């Protein structure tokens, strides 16, 4: 295999790339440095890394899929990282290996990620059986989602059997996380009976469990009230395809309260849906969804990179915006340049 980027001085200083087999071997042996390097490869924007990254992911694929993939969302400050740290520590005590990934399309290269940050989960990140990786930076949501999905496969091949994917409760990133996890958990604040209006209905509908966090001290009564009103609100939602009725629980992540009860529900969900066949069916649907996403992304890229399209784009755009051509005519014309 050739070593890419030999001519660039910046590249020369970097560690040489390995063969796919070497990455696989390191990953399978639970070598976290090797796993980290493979993820960096997956996240790389360099075209010369893409083929190798693909080979590594393909090599890991037969060893992946055995974990439970858990999505966690909630507004900033609700206690996501505190919860993940508490749950993660609990799971490690139970003998699990836990990987925490994040999806945060807004994170910038320079600042690093606000999510999945090691400093936010200091206790968990010090554990040999935990692996914490921030969101790939400087990416569109589509890019972040694809890379995170591949990272899940690498982590599974490395023996992590609980994958936690964290995202912040704003906008489209929930949909992306939902499309790659088995179980989706929504964290809520107490005293927020009215908050239901504030949270996008779609997110509540996606959730397999709602947990009212910070149910401690003065806020316990408020938390109970919130729990009741969420329970009532959930009754109004249509039955989920999984047949699962999302429970509404309380927890106090900071004090490690209610964590094991939530985990019990995850296990219960896993057992029920594996028995009904939904678990596998859901993963198959997700795989199909990602196939279609990839094709759409690729088609769009091929279309806009086509030299004839590039050359005539502005002209056609002008005709359409000035009203001379309809949007459809403009589109058909451009496709015509590609022979369609
Ligand atoms: P995130 O932004 O959703 O990740 O929230 P953090 O985990 O950073 O928590 C935000 C703040 O809430 C921190 O100061 C935590 O200590 C606090 N917090 C988290 N969980 C609890 C809890 O169960 N009870 C109380 N009282 N505070 C909590």
């Amino acid at each position: 295999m050739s070593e890419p980027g030999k001519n660039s001085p910046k590249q020369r200083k970097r560690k040489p790339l390995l063969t796919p087999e070497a990455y696989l071997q390191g990953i399978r042996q639970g070598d976290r440095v090797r796993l980290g390097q493979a993820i960096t490869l997956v996240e790389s924007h360099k075209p010369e890394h893409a083929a190798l990254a693909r080979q590594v992911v393909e090599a890991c694929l037969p060893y992946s899929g055995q974990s439970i993939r858990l999505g966690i969302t909630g507004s900033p400050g609700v206690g996501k990282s505190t919860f993940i740290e508490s749950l993660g520590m609990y799971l490690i005590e139970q003998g699990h290996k836990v990987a925490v990934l994040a999806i945060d399309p807004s994170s910038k290269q320079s600042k690093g990620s606000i999510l999945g940050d090691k400093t936010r989960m200091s206790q968990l990140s010090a554990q040999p059986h935990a692996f914490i990786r921030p969101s790939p930076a400087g990416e569109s949501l589509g890019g972040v989602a694809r890379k995170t999905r591949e990272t899940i496969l690498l982590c599974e091949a490395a023996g992590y059997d609980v994958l936690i994917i964290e995202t912040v409760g704003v906008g489209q990133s929930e949909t992306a996380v939902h499309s790659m996890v088995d179980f989706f958990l929504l964290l809520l604040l107490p005293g927020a009976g009215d908050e239901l209006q504030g949270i996008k209905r779609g997110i509540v509908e996606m959730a397999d469990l709602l947990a009212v966090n910070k149910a401690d001290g003065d806020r316990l009564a408020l938390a109970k009230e919130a729990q009741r009103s969420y329970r009532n609100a959930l009754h109004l939602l249509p039955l989920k395809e999984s047949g699962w009725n999302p429970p509404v629980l309380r927890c106090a992540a900071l004090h490690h309260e209610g964590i094991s009860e939530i985990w019990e529900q995850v296990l219960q969900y896993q057992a029920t849906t594996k028995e009904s066949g939904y678990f596998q069916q859901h993963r198959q649907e997700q795989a199909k969804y990602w196939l279609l996403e990839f094709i759409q992304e690729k088609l769009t890229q091929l279309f806009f990179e086509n030299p004839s399209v590039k050359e005539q784009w502005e002209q056609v755009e002008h005709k359409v915006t000035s009203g001379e051509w309809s949007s459809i005519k403009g589109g058909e014309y451009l496709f015509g340049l590609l022979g369609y």
Side-chain angles (χ1 to χ4, degrees):
M1 184 169 307
S2 68
E3 277 180 36
K6 263 193 165 170
N7 300 330
S8 126
K10 207 174 154 200
Q11 275 292 312
R12 235 182 283 136
K13 277 194 234 136
R14 294 235 173 112
K15 278 217 169 74
L17 297 173
L18 307 171
T19 62
E21 295 73 29
Y23 284 108
L24 177 66
Q25 198 184 16
I27 289 170
R28 293 290 294 148
Q29 285 167 355
D31 179 345
R32 291 197 291 182
V33 174
R34 203 55 93 224
L35 174 62
Q37 289 168 342
I39 296 172
T40 303
L41 209 55
V42 162
E43 290 175 354
S44 169
H45 289 267
K46 295 197 167 61
E48 67 265 27
H49 289 168
L52 180 58
R54 192 131 315 286
Q55 285 173 300
V56 175
V57 173
E58 291 300 319
C60 286
L61 198 60
Y63 307 100
S64 68
Q66 302 306 319
S67 78
I68 175 97
R69 302 166 183 168
L70 192 64
I72 295 188
T73 192
S75 318
V78 70
K80 290 181 296 300
S81 58
T82 312
F83 180 87
I84 293 170
E85 172 138 290
S86 182
L87 175 65
M89 293 302 291
Y90 170 76
L91 292 172
I92 284 170
E93 274 167 30
Q94 309 257 314
H96 292 286
K97 276 184 82 178
V98 180
V100 181
L101 312 176
I103 290 201
D104 174 18
S106 64
S107 71
K108 293 280 178 298
Q109 197 90 47
S110 55
K111 288 191 204 143
S113 169
I114 56 153
L115 291 166
D117 198 327
K118 286 190 182 176
T119 56
R120 289 170 70 230
M121 299 170 202
S122 52
Q123 213 190 345
L124 188 60
S125 62
Q127 296 297 316
H129 283 163
F131 182 80
I132 300 180
R133 182 86 182 185
S135 182
E139 285 280 351
S140 66
L141 177 58
V144 172
R146 184 179 63 71
K147 289 171 180 184
T148 306
R149 198 169 174 269
E150 297 193 332
T151 299
I152 291 177
L153 303 176
L154 300 184
C155 290
E156 287 176 346
Y160 292 92
D161 63 340
V162 182
L163 262 291
I164 299 178
I165 329 288
E166 176 191 12
T167 194
V168 75
V170 286
Q172 286 296 303
S173 53
E174 279 77 17
T175 314
V177 173
H178 186 244
S179 65
M180 62 179 81
V181 298
D182 305 309
F183 190 94
F184 199 56
L185 193 157
L186 173 61
L187 285 181
L188 298 157
L189 286 170
D194 304 335
E195 200 192 306
L196 200 51
Q197 278 91 40
I199 296 169
K200 291 201 183 64
R201 196 182 133 100
I203 297 177
V204 177
E205 281 177 7
M206 276 187 245
D208 298 300
L209 190 150
L210 274 60
V212 182
N213 189 36
K214 307 196 187 184
D216 50 41
D218 294 347
R219 275 174 293 209
L220 184 58
L222 281 175
K224 286 182 178 170
E225 198 183 306
Q227 188 182 17
R228 252 193 313 276
S229 61
Y230 285 122
R231 272 191 183 144
N232 290 338
L234 283 189
H235 282 311
L236 304 174
L237 295 181
L239 186 71
K240 288 172 97 74
E241 203 192 332
S242 55
W244 173 259
N245 274 323
V248 184
L249 302 181
R250 292 191 309 269
C251 62
L254 194 60
H255 311 295
H256 313 290
E257 288 167 19
I259 303 296
S260 61
E261 288 81 354
I262 291 174
W263 180 245
E264 278 305 312
Q265 291 295 324
V266 176
L267 292 180
Q268 182 76 46
Y269 176 90
Q270 194 183 20
T272 317
T273 54
K274 277 197 169 165
E275 195 174 319
S276 72
Y278 179 81
F279 191 90
Q280 273 316 112
Q281 181 200 325
H282 187 223
R283 282 205 174 173
Q284 284 166 5
E285 280 164 11
Q286 289 177 328
K288 192 168 128 187
Y289 172 85
W290 287 104
L291 171 67
L292 290 171
E293 279 285 301
F294 176 79
I295 288 172
Q296 275 173 14
E297 207 178 297
K298 192 89 186 171
L299 277 178
T300 308
Q301 188 191 345
L302 288 174
F303 179 85
F304 286 107
E305 279 175 1
N306 179 279
S308 310
V309 170
K310 271 188 179 169
E311 195 186 296
Q312 302 214 23
W313 175 259
E314 269 184 36
Q315 250 173 301
V316 173
E317 194 183 40
H318 179 73
K319 282 193 159 80
V320 169
T321 51
S322 68
E324 188 185 337
W325 280 6
S326 73
S327 306
I328 305 297
K329 181 170 176 182
E332 294 284 13
Y333 176 81
L334 288 169
F335 268 105
L337 298 174
L338 296 166
Y340 294 112

